[in-house]
Amino acid sequence: MKTEYLLHREVEHVLAALMPVNRVVMRVCIHTGLRVGDVLALRTDQIAPRFWVTEQKTKKRRIVGLPADLLADMRKIAGKKYVFEHSNDPERHRTRQAVWKDVKRAARAFRLPQNVAPHSARKVYAVDLLAKYGDIAKVQRALNHSGPSVTMIYAMADQLYRQKYHKKPHEA
């Protein structure tokens, strides 16, 4: 089952219910559009207001920017090697599964009907980017998609959500 989009109020609910470190992970995902594995692999010496990331899945490089408050929160929790350290081994980063379980738990706590997972953050990012710029090519580049068809599914996720769950735009 594919992960689904979250309305902004649902995002806030899920974020509020997450463990503090996982909340920061998801905020980075939402703000940058990076996949959770790429966020978890961020090294402490790498983070800055703007920095380069090589995506694990695509091997493509892209620059990401972080607002000052999110950067400060990341620096507060950063380990020696990784920003998001594994709870038992500082030489490893936190696992995708640990974040996934927490996101699932948070979504269940609010009885959200859709399939929510860390990848839902990428859809929120895509919808927000399309609303901000109105340019699907720009969203495609930001997500490092090879073609516009997948990008359209992400960028139109809010409309698909509203069709499926019969929500009106003002309910976001």
Side-chain angles (χ1 to χ4, degrees):
M1 182 181 215
K2 292 187 185 282
T3 59
E4 295 178 276
Y5 176 75
L6 293 168
L7 298 172
H8 285 281
R9 68 178 151 72
E10 293 169 334
V11 169
E12 293 305 317
H13 291 323
V14 170
L15 288 175
L18 291 173
M19 299 300 290
V21 174
N22 293 334
R23 182 177 311 122
V24 177
V25 170
M26 288 301 292
R27 285 175 55 214
V28 174
C29 290
I30 291 166
H31 188 79
T32 63
L34 290 171
R35 292 172 184 86
V36 70
D38 294 325
V39 171
L40 293 172
L42 292 174
R43 300 174 70 88
T44 300
D45 61 3
Q46 178 181 14
I47 59 168
R50 291 175 55 87
F51 58 95
W52 286 94
V53 173
T54 301
E55 294 182 347
Q56 295 169 357
K57 181 177 179 180
T58 64
K59 306 295 184 240
K60 294 177 184 175
R61 283 176 46 89
R62 64 178 262 217
I63 197 159
V64 295
L66 298 171
D69 64 324
L70 183 52
L71 185 60
D73 289 346
M74 290 171 72
R75 287 187 171 143
K76 280 183 214 161
I77 62 170
K80 282 188 171 192
K81 187 172 182 177
Y82 292 103
V83 176
F84 305 104
E85 273 186 353
H86 190 279
S87 57
N88 300 328
D89 183 358
E91 290 300 309
R92 294 176 28 215
H93 58 70
R94 180 175 290 262
T95 66
R96 290 178 304 122
Q97 292 80 2
V99 178
W100 183 87
K101 273 173 96 170
D102 200 23
V103 170
K104 290 291 193 184
R105 180 197 52 77
R108 274 193 313 274
F110 287 98
R111 293 183 167 84
L112 297 179
Q114 65 271 51
N115 182 30
V116 180
H119 205 71
S120 298
R122 235 167 116 77
K123 294 181 180 181
V124 171
Y125 173 79
V127 168
D128 289 351
L129 214 56
L130 184 61
K132 183 176 181 179
Y133 296 111
D135 182 354
I136 198 70
K138 194 170 224 165
V139 178
Q140 179 183 337
R141 282 190 306 276
L143 294 175
N144 268 335
H145 285 155
S146 55
S149 59
V150 174
T151 305
M152 286 299 289
I153 293 167
Y154 279 64
M156 307 299 275
D158 61 329
Q159 293 173 34
L160 296 170
Y161 171 94
R162 288 188 178 94
Q163 274 185 326
K164 184 172 182 178
Y165 298 107
H166 308 291
K167 303 272 183 179
K168 294 178 177 55
H170 70 276
E171 295 177 293

